Amino acid sequence: MQALQSHYWAVRDYLSPVLKESKFKEHGRITPEEFVAAGEFLVYKFPVWSWEKGDASKARDFLPADKQYLVTRGVPCLRRATSLAYTDADEDAERLLNFGDSSTSGEADEWVETHAGRKSHADSAPGVIDDIPDLDGEQELASGVNALSLGSGGAEETPNLDDIPDMEEDDLEEKDEATATSKPSGVVDASNIEVAKGNLLQVRTYDVMITYDKYYQTPRVWLIGYDEHGKPLTPSEIFQDISADHAHKTVTIEPFLHSTSLQAASVHPCKHASVMKKVIERMNNSVVEEQLARRKSGGSTPKDKESKKKWPFARKSSGTGKDEKPAGDEEEVEGMRVDFYLVVFLKFIASIVPTIEVDSTTSF
Amino acid sequence: MPLVQFAPFSSLIHPSFWHELTNLKIDVLRLSDEALPISGSYSVGRSVTDRESGSEIALACNLTVGSESFDKEIKASPGTILASGTFKNYNTIEEFKAADKAALFNHEVNKIWDRIVITRDTRFLNHFLLITFADLKKYKYYYWFAFPAFVAKPAWEILDDGWKDATEEFSAEQLFKIHEQLRSRSSPLPFFLIQHDASIGPVEDFASFFGSTPTERPTIGFVDPSAHPTNPGWPLRNLLAYLRALHPGSSSTLRVLCWRDTEIPISSWKSRVGVIKVESGKQQETDERPSAVGWEKNPQGKLGPRMADLAPMMDPTKLANQAV
């Protein structure tokens, strides 16, 4: 099934023409050239992103050889997306807490605790993989995915390191007091975060890739995740970091476009164009308004203040190295520039993976 | 004075590394278990602000290997520092278990020490060791990293005011200048010396860099993979060993800049600075190699290997099930 589908996609991808004409404001799609331009801007403004050339045999000829896709590594993910959703389930039930000594003062402080069941969930020991909540009507899918998880996947098939205890050699080297205490990297001790009330944070990291999807003519996001010990995440673990609206529906594990062997989780781009169109429309309107206002006010006066705030829209892209033109009469009201497309796109992706900090652009 | 405690490297292996190893094992290495040169990379330590609690959380002090690690002509991508390593893959789990780890480790440590005392260059200070066993049929990869670091005896201590924000001792202009110089170099500088006017130079020039007037506490800097406020990263250890071995007279008190800013920061500089001290006089003979530590601990906190199970991401049958 998977193979069939992949082949179908490959053929469809091969047959679909390369988009030539810029249409990003009309329907949210971009051309490869615009993808490169937007990528250049992203790399320039946010150097955590960089271009990759990928596997030479998989190179797409409509993109420059050394600019096949964008990547940023080690994107932190502090919490599971599943912990954000507010559900009707028991875990969100409220209960009364009594902090006073109940035997002496019955009327003492009582507090309502919400999410009463949440705590045990958040405190679950590192390494324990919680089941993904089943979605109605998707029992089959969910059980299929659960079968993949380490816990239920047949214990004899997945020996973990405890099975080879004779390899632990604690006498291999002497104890060294100049080594910082090895708390598992990324797991934050409860005492360090008072506000989080003793929740253990399992800080996962993700490598995030953005490729250009020729068929849908939009960027496409790919994720490879690691747990706090640097161990690669399984598909079911990755789904914990995807908002419930999208997990199992639009996110799948597929062969990564620019590698011969790598598998990665990918957000399917079939809805990207329409969502991007809406977002762009909204942003474009405010940008056009601002540009008009600026023109009316006679060019140079408010330039400093306003363009500082909204400059990415108004400027002749600094990503391509052009200087800002004076906001005089000769300048067309052009609205949002396509250079900004990927920055907007990342904000949209951030809503699908709410706990993965893909959007490093919040400083705007 | 409190002891200086260094944040150890933790390994991060990109899945493409295992793919590349699989190909290499089948097509090139076959049954050979010769040691191969590889390379890894690290960059400045990163931290993230937790939106729920507002606290700053330091991410792991990572040394990363990927498919490019086998590439002999590898070039560091901007903002990263390359580290050389020795890689050894065993054919069976029994051989992997039975490997003489102490001998392997000592061999690498000797190489690092020889580079310090003979060629006197700093390029080998981050040298690491990686041993693996690849169970190709089950997509399971057993591995164990060692990041050798020399143990200073007596140990380094930090002055009582501890590690501080770099801005407390450096002006913004000075930090800009350091940033600019680090960025403009064709090959990135993992370790450097800093003048009063914030000009920087390679550590190999230690004897001449500070001029004829002997400085009481020379300022050294290094690209710091740690983001912990009070723990400098692992690379500093071998840099200190290097300075103690080659310049024992003028390196007993040092001001250390832990460089943690690849980018000009939007709000505040992340780099840290502190003055560290070692009791001179009691030092051991310089030409005698100090002992070294550095095997990576497993997730249970014990000295033991780790395993990456890539079956969920590589095994065709599992992938087919998942794609219902």
Side-chain angles (χ1 to χ4, degrees):
Chain A
M1 185 62 190
Q2 161 94 346
L4 206 70
Q5 234 173 15
S6 290
H7 278 116
Y8 168 65
W9 285 329
V11 171
R12 189 177 65 174
D13 183 81
Y14 176 75
L15 292 178
S16 58
V18 175
L19 184 66
K20 288 273 162 46
E21 213 180 326
S22 171
K23 283 280 165 65
F24 85 99
K25 273 178 214 154
E26 283 74 25
H27 45 53
R29 301 200 276 267
I30 53 171
T31 66
E33 289 75 33
E34 288 172 327
F35 175 70
V36 173
E40 291 284 316
F41 180 77
L42 189 71
V43 170
Y44 174 81
K45 277 318 282 183
F46 307 103
V48 291
W49 288 95
S50 59
W51 285 106
E52 285 280 331
K53 53 181 184 296
D55 194 287
S57 64
K58 293 277 180 177
R60 321 303 305 268
D61 53 8
F62 47 84
L63 291 169
D66 56 342
K67 289 177 183 161
Q68 293 282 315
Y69 66 97
L70 290 154
V71 66
T72 178
R73 296 186 197 283
V75 180
C77 173
L78 298 182
R79 294 194 169 71
R80 307 292 77 86
T82 42
S83 72
L84 293 181
Y86 193 91
T87 62
D88 295 332
D90 287 349
E91 61 164 3
D92 288 331
E94 297 174 355
R95 79 172 177 218
L96 289 175
L97 291 183
N98 192 343
F99 290 108
D101 184 354
S102 54
S103 63
T104 54
S105 53
E107 79 285 8
D109 304 329
E110 278 193 327
W111 297 80
V112 175
E113 186 196 42
T114 59
H115 294 60
R118 234 357 126 57
K119 212 158 193 175
S120 61
H121 172 82
D123 276 349
S124 58
V128 173
I129 298 155
D130 300 323
D131 281 345
I132 296 177
D134 291 353
L135 296 172
D136 285 340
E138 299 194 3
Q139 301 284 352
E140 268 176 67
L141 183 57
S143 62
V145 171
N146 283 345
L148 286 180
S149 79
L150 285 178
S152 53
E156 79 288 348
E157 242 192 278
T158 53
N160 74 25
L161 284 173
D162 295 336
D163 296 345
I164 41 170
D166 52 327
M167 281 232 48
E168 276 176 7
E169 302 177 26
D170 266 337
D171 53 348
L172 191 58
E173 57 189 37
E174 56 191 288
K175 200 163 164 1
D176 173 46
E177 50 188 6
T179 304
T181 42
S182 66
K183 40 196 168 238
S185 49
V187 175
V188 180
D189 190 60
S191 59
N192 291 345
I193 32 169
E194 298 159 44
V195 203
K197 292 178 194 103
N199 287 358
L200 268 186
L201 287 179
Q202 290 167 281
V203 182
R204 294 174 171 178
T205 53
Y206 277 87
D207 292 343
V208 183
M209 285 84 78
I210 302 179
T211 60
Y212 180 75
D213 192 284
K214 189 173 159 229
Y215 179 77
Y216 289 101
Q217 298 157 351
T218 59
R220 177 172 191 171
V221 161
W222 303 78
L223 301 165
I224 293 178
Y226 310 88
D227 72 4
E228 67 273 22
H229 304 295
K231 213 171 133 185
L233 297 178
T234 62
S236 59
E237 288 171 298
I238 291 176
F239 285 133
Q240 296 170 343
D241 292 324
I242 291 158
S243 78
D245 294 343
H246 298 274
H248 311 305
K249 287 182 192 151
T250 53
V251 179
T252 48
I253 309 294
E254 280 174 48
F256 180 57
L257 274 186
H258 292 281
S259 157
T260 46
S261 46
L262 214 54
Q263 303 277 338
S266 170
V267 183
H268 200 260
C270 53
K271 293 278 162 46
H272 285 11
S274 59
V275 176
M276 284 302 289
K277 176 176 175 272
K278 273 183 215 145
V279 180
I280 289 170
E281 256 167 23
R282 215 173 303 147
M283 293 187 94
N284 194 42
N285 288 343
S286 65
V287 173
V288 169
E289 257 169 49
E290 197 219 334
Q291 284 176 339
L292 281 174
R294 207 149 49 117
R295 189 148 77 164
K296 238 183 250 168
S297 65
S300 56
T301 31
K303 193 175 114 195
D304 257 13
K305 220 175 167 189
E306 274 180 38
S307 69
K308 217 162 217 165
K309 201 170 148 229
K310 289 267 186 163
W311 62 267
F313 308 104
R315 242 190 196 184
K316 290 285 181 187
S317 123
S318 61
T320 51
K322 286 177 204 158
D323 281 331
E324 187 181 1
K325 281 190 184 164
D329 291 58
E330 78 274 20
E331 192 190 16
E332 290 277 306
V333 176
E334 56 176 351
M336 195 186 107
R337 299 215 14 131
V338 75
D339 308 56
F340 216 59
Y341 187 95
L342 280 177
V343 178
V344 177
F345 179 72
L346 281 179
K347 293 191 190 300
F348 156 52
I349 290 299
S351 71
I352 296 178
V353 287
T355 53
I356 306 178
E357 315 266 337
V358 285
D359 185 16
S360 55
T361 64
T362 42
S363 54
F364 270 129
Chain B
M1 286 186 295
L3 285 186
V4 179
Q5 291 196 316
F6 304 87
F9 270 126
S10 55
S11 58
L12 185 69
I13 303 187
H14 195 266
S16 64
F17 180 87
W18 300 124
H19 289 285
E20 190 65 28
L21 171 60
T22 307
N23 295 340
L24 207 63
K25 170 92 182 123
I26 293 169
D27 301 332
V28 184
L29 296 179
R30 311 262 175 104
L31 290 178
S32 157
D33 56 6
E34 287 294 298
L36 290 175
I38 58 164
S39 54
S41 66
Y42 64 90
S43 53
V44 296
R46 289 167 75 182
S47 59
V48 57
T49 316
D50 179 11
R51 274 178 283 186
E52 258 178 54
S53 66
S55 56
E56 196 77 359
I57 290 159
L59 298 184
C61 195
N62 281 334
L63 186 127
T64 313
V65 293
S67 59
E68 71 282 357
S69 292
F70 293 105
D71 193 343
K72 293 200 173 56
E73 323 249 287
I74 184 174
K75 279 177 97 178
S77 51
T80 63
I81 302 285
L82 286 183
S84 67
T86 298
F87 168 77
K88 202 166 157 61
N89 182 56
Y90 291 90
N91 285 309
T92 63
I93 187 76
E94 288 75 24
E95 282 171 42
F96 179 72
K97 281 184 190 172
D100 186 348
K101 277 126 206 143
L104 286 166
F105 186 77
N106 266 327
H107 184 67
E108 300 306 317
V109 173
N110 283 334
K111 280 203 280 193
I112 301 174
W113 187 250
D114 285 349
R115 289 290 283 256
I116 292 177
V117 294
I118 297 166
T119 58
R120 300 167 83 95
D121 75 54
T122 54
R123 272 176 304 168
F124 228 54
L125 293 184
N126 286 320
H127 189 73
F128 64 93
L129 169 67
L130 167 60
I131 57 173
T132 60
F133 162 67
D135 189 341
L136 299 184
K137 284 185 188 135
K138 290 187 183 145
Y139 308 94
K140 287 184 176 40
Y141 300 87
Y142 300 83
Y143 64 99
W144 202 349
F145 270 91
F147 307 105
F150 294 109
V151 179
K153 281 196 183 124
W156 288 90
E157 291 171 291
I158 171 110
L159 294 196
D160 289 325
D161 49 353
W163 296 98
K164 296 179 286 192
D165 282 335
T167 41
E168 290 188 30
E169 299 212 358
F170 293 88
S171 67
E173 288 74 40
Q174 285 177 315
L175 292 172
F176 276 125
K177 192 171 169 186
I178 294 170
H179 178 268
E180 185 54 40
Q181 293 172 84
L182 284 174
R183 208 187 159 107
S184 63
R185 295 190 71 93
S186 53
S187 62
L189 209 52
F191 310 106
F192 47 93
L193 306 170
I194 307 165
Q195 282 273 27
H196 289 299
D197 63 352
S199 55
I200 64 169
V203 174
E204 283 83 352
D205 299 344
F206 191 85
S208 59
F209 183 78
F210 296 103
S212 47
T213 46
T215 1
E216 210 165 278
R217 37 163 226 203
T219 308
I220 60 171
F222 74 108
V223 174
D224 190 357
S226 163
H228 292 275
T230 54
N231 302 123
W234 212 236
L236 178 60
R237 289 193 88 159
N238 285 349
L239 173 64
L240 295 174
Y242 172 95
L243 292 173
R244 291 308 289 152
L246 299 182
H247 310 282
S250 48
S251 62
S252 56
T253 305
L254 295 164
R255 189 161 68 137
V256 180
L257 176 63
C258 307
W259 187 256
R260 296 177 181 179
D261 295 277
T262 13
E263 307 309 328
I264 302 272
I266 300 160
S267 47
S268 57
W269 293 85
K270 293 201 174 71
S271 298
R272 309 283 289 171
V273 66
V275 177
I276 61 171
K277 224 178 157 155
V278 72
E279 244 175 275
S280 50
K282 279 198 279 180
Q283 216 210 348
Q284 56 199 355
E285 288 292 302
T286 48
D287 47 349
E288 187 191 317
R289 179 178 76 87
S291 65
V293 294
W295 283 100
E296 186 178 27
K297 295 192 165 125
N298 63 16
Q300 288 78 37
K302 302 270 173 55
L303 284 170
R306 293 166 174 239
M307 184 196 63
D309 180 3
L310 288 190
M313 297 300 263
M314 281 171 95
D315 189 337
T317 55
K318 294 204 177 185
L319 287 171
N321 283 338
Q322 190 265 331
V324 188

